[in-house]
């Protein structure tokens, strides 16, 4: 079986350094809010290209804290609207509703799977306060058109960068530095993954950063002094130390992912398969390699039988989920077609050329 992603192999690639980092933390006797967090936050902020990075418990919390901080700072009010892609992972939307804000779903571009900027302006109302772009599958979702709309209507631009560590817009700014604030996930399977849950917010606004840091630490601005009714959402020292090791190799690992993607694009020739479009290689870090097939479930079973593990991202769109049953009757046909046809192929920095060939051959043999 060719695994979808072998976390064991990914970790082993830098295993000695990771084990040394973990031992350093264990031996230090300091396990929260210490030097490891400070070092990683500084290094990750520098990597992304912003002044501030605030580690937190996970990627969902990172997005929650951004909107909660805007509420606390009086820049948003409960009931305000946030435009968000209809085909995102549900965490993007949970962060909005968790804060009493109203998600406004907008269809993606059928070719890129990213938020369709041409459809955004029609969704803007007097209650709209932000646009959330989601760099889905590792591809940059930002466009000049979206940026111009944010300026025109005085909207915050929030980035869900959970799947796109290291991605660039037109070869320049990294995702996570383009908008007003960005949420990052370090779930183990991400391109920059911890050995457990972890997340971070990046931004350039010192006041916003200070508010988010307090919210994620019980609402505390200094020990035993609580300005906000916050929660406990902190990145622990072991995860910070591991992430700091892996950050050094992120760009190198991204290039290995691009090598796999290029192989697939050059060698998968089955006309039943729709391959992703890649107009700009610097704008895609290939967290996932999504293909589409009208007979997706048959294709997945065929690949399973051939020893290739795949994953569907995602089988049920947010507006069809039971937790948002008030949306279940709504129709987003582009989103629904993507969710009915998408299948993610194995892609990781540890894949061999033999692995790539086996995947391509298995897909090409699908009839």
């Amino acid at each position: 079986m060719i695994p979808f992603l072998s976390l064991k192999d990914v970790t082993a690639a830098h295993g000695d350094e990771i084990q040394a980092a973990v031992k350093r933390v264990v031996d230090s006797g300091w396990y929260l809010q210490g030097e490891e967090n400070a070092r990683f936050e500084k290094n990750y902020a520098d990597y992304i290209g912003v002044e501030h990075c605030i580690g937190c418990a996970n990627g969902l919390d990172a997005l929650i804290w951004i909107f909660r901080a805007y509420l606390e700072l009086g820049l948003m009010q409960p009931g305000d609207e946030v435009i968000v892609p209809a085909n995102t992972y549900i965490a993007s939307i949970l962060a909005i509703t968790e804060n009493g804000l109203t998600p406004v779903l907008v269809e993606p571009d059928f070719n890129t799977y990213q938020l369709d900027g041409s459809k955004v302006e029609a969704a803007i109302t007097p209650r709209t306060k932000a646009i959330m772009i989601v760099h889905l599958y590792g591809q940059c979702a930002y466009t000049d058109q979206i940026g111009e709309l944010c300026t025109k209507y005085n909207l915050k631009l929030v980035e869900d960068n959970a799947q796109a560590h290291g991605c660039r817009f037109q070869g320049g700014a990294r995702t996570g530095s383009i908008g007003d604030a960005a949420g990052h996930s370090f779930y183990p399977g991400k391109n920059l993954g911890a050995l457990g849950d972890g997340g971070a917010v990046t931004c350039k606004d010192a006041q916003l950063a200070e508010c988010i840091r307090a919210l994620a630490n019980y609402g505390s601005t200094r020990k035993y002094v609580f300005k906000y009714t916050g929660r406990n959402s902190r990145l622990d020292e072991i995860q910070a130390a591991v992430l700091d090791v892996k950050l050094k190799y992120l760009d190198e690992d991204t290039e290995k992912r691009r090598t796999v993607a290029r192989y697939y694009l050059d060698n998968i020739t089955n006309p039943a398969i729709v391959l992703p479009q890649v107009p700009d290689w610097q704008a895609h870090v290939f967290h996932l390699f999504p293909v589409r097939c009208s007979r997706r479930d048959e294709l997945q079973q065929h690949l399973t039988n051939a020893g290739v593990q795949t994953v569907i991202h995602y089988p049920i769109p947010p507006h069809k989920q039971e937790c948002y049953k008030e949306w279940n009757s709504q129709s987003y046909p582009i989103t629904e077609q993507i969710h009915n046809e998408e299948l993610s192929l194995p892609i990781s920095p540890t894949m061999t050329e033999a692995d790539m060939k086996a995947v391509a051959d298995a897909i090409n043999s699908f009839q």
Side-chain angles (χ1 to χ4, degrees):
M1 175 67 73
I2 296 174
F4 178 72
L5 175 67
S6 172
L7 292 178
K8 181 178 179 180
D9 289 346
V10 169
T11 303
H14 313 299
D16 290 345
E17 287 184 73
I18 289 171
Q19 290 186 32
V22 171
K23 185 177 186 301
R24 182 176 69 244
V25 176
V26 172
D27 291 347
S28 75
W30 194 285
Y31 307 128
L32 278 171
Q33 296 184 297
E35 293 180 2
E36 302 292 346
N37 259 270
R39 181 183 301 109
F40 172 69
E41 288 180 347
K42 172 66 166 59
N43 289 340
Y44 193 60
D46 289 347
Y47 177 83
I48 294 296
V50 295
E51 287 78 12
H52 306 284
C53 172
I54 306 97
C56 58
N58 53 69
L60 172 57
D61 277 5
L63 294 172
I64 288 173
W65 300 135
I66 291 170
F67 290 111
R68 173 70 185 280
Y70 282 136
L71 289 163
E72 293 287 356
L73 295 173
L75 300 176
M76 294 183 188
Q77 303 295 327
D80 284 345
E81 296 173 352
V82 178
I83 290 172
V84 62
N87 64 317
T88 185
Y89 181 59
I90 202 166
S92 311
I93 297 171
L94 289 172
I96 299 169
T97 58
E98 172 79 9
N99 282 291
L101 300 168
T102 301
V104 176
L105 308 185
V106 173
E107 289 265 58
D109 182 298
F110 196 46
N111 295 314
T112 66
Y113 312 132
Q114 310 302 317
L115 180 65
D116 189 339
S118 69
K119 294 182 171 70
V120 169
E121 190 163 21
I124 295 174
T125 76
R127 297 303 303 270
T128 307
K129 291 296 186 292
I131 298 173
M132 181 192 286
I133 55 174
V134 182
H135 305 296
L136 197 66
Y137 306 144
Q139 186 167 3
C140 182
Y142 180 77
T143 63
D144 289 328
Q145 183 180 33
I146 290 173
E148 289 163 5
L149 289 172
C150 288
T151 300
K152 179 179 179 180
Y153 292 98
N154 192 28
L155 305 178
K156 295 296 184 185
L157 180 61
V158 177
E159 299 176 74
D160 182 340
N161 200 50
Q163 299 186 4
H165 315 96
C167 184
R168 292 185 182 273
F169 172 63
Q170 295 182 348
R174 292 192 192 275
T175 56
S177 72
I178 299 169
D180 294 285
H184 307 252
S185 169
F186 304 127
Y187 180 79
K190 298 301 170 68
N191 290 28
L192 180 61
L195 300 186
D197 277 320
V201 175
T202 56
C203 65
K204 300 173 184 176
D205 184 330
Q207 185 182 28
L208 181 68
E210 181 181 19
C211 183
I212 289 170
R213 190 175 295 282
L215 287 168
N217 186 35
Y218 297 97
S220 175
T221 51
R222 56 191 175 91
K223 195 165 186 178
Y224 302 134
V225 177
F226 304 94
K227 185 174 182 179
Y228 310 106
T229 54
R231 289 212 322 244
N232 177 12
S233 176
R234 300 176 301 204
L235 185 67
D236 72 65
E237 289 285 278
I238 288 178
Q239 302 305 341
V242 170
L243 289 166
D244 204 49
V245 170
K246 297 178 77 173
L247 178 61
K248 295 186 296 183
Y249 302 100
L250 179 56
D251 288 345
E252 177 184 327
D253 287 346
T254 296
E255 286 306 316
K256 292 176 181 176
R257 287 175 175 271
R258 288 178 177 142
T259 296
V260 179
R262 286 188 179 95
Y263 186 94
Y264 286 162
L265 290 172
D266 289 343
N267 292 279
I268 294 175
T269 57
N270 191 324
I273 308 302
V274 179
L275 296 168
Q277 297 183 13
V278 189
D280 181 355
W281 283 88
Q282 290 301 308
H284 208 320
V285 295
F286 293 98
H287 171 58
L288 300 173
F289 190 93
V291 300
R292 291 199 344 265
C293 179
S294 61
R295 295 156 52 214
R296 188 264 311 282
D297 294 346
E298 293 177 51
L299 173 63
Q300 185 174 43
Q301 186 59 58
H302 170 81
L303 293 174
T304 299
N305 294 343
V308 176
Q309 185 181 37
T310 58
V311 178
I312 298 170
H313 292 93
Y314 301 95
I316 305 172
H319 70 282
K320 295 297 184 182
Q321 297 286 353
E322 185 177 356
C323 64
Y324 291 120
K325 54 183 176 292
E326 66 272 21
W327 299 343
N328 287 174
S329 62
Q330 295 182 15
S331 175
Y332 296 92
I334 296 174
T335 292
E336 289 160 20
Q337 184 173 348
I338 292 170
H339 283 257
N340 287 334
E341 295 183 352
E342 193 278 341
L343 188 67
S344 297
L345 305 183
I347 188 165
S348 84
T350 62
M351 287 185 71
T352 66
E353 188 165 347
D355 293 334
M356 303 175 214
K357 184 177 187 304
V359 173
D361 288 349
I363 291 179
N364 289 336
S365 69
F366 176 67
Q367 297 181 343

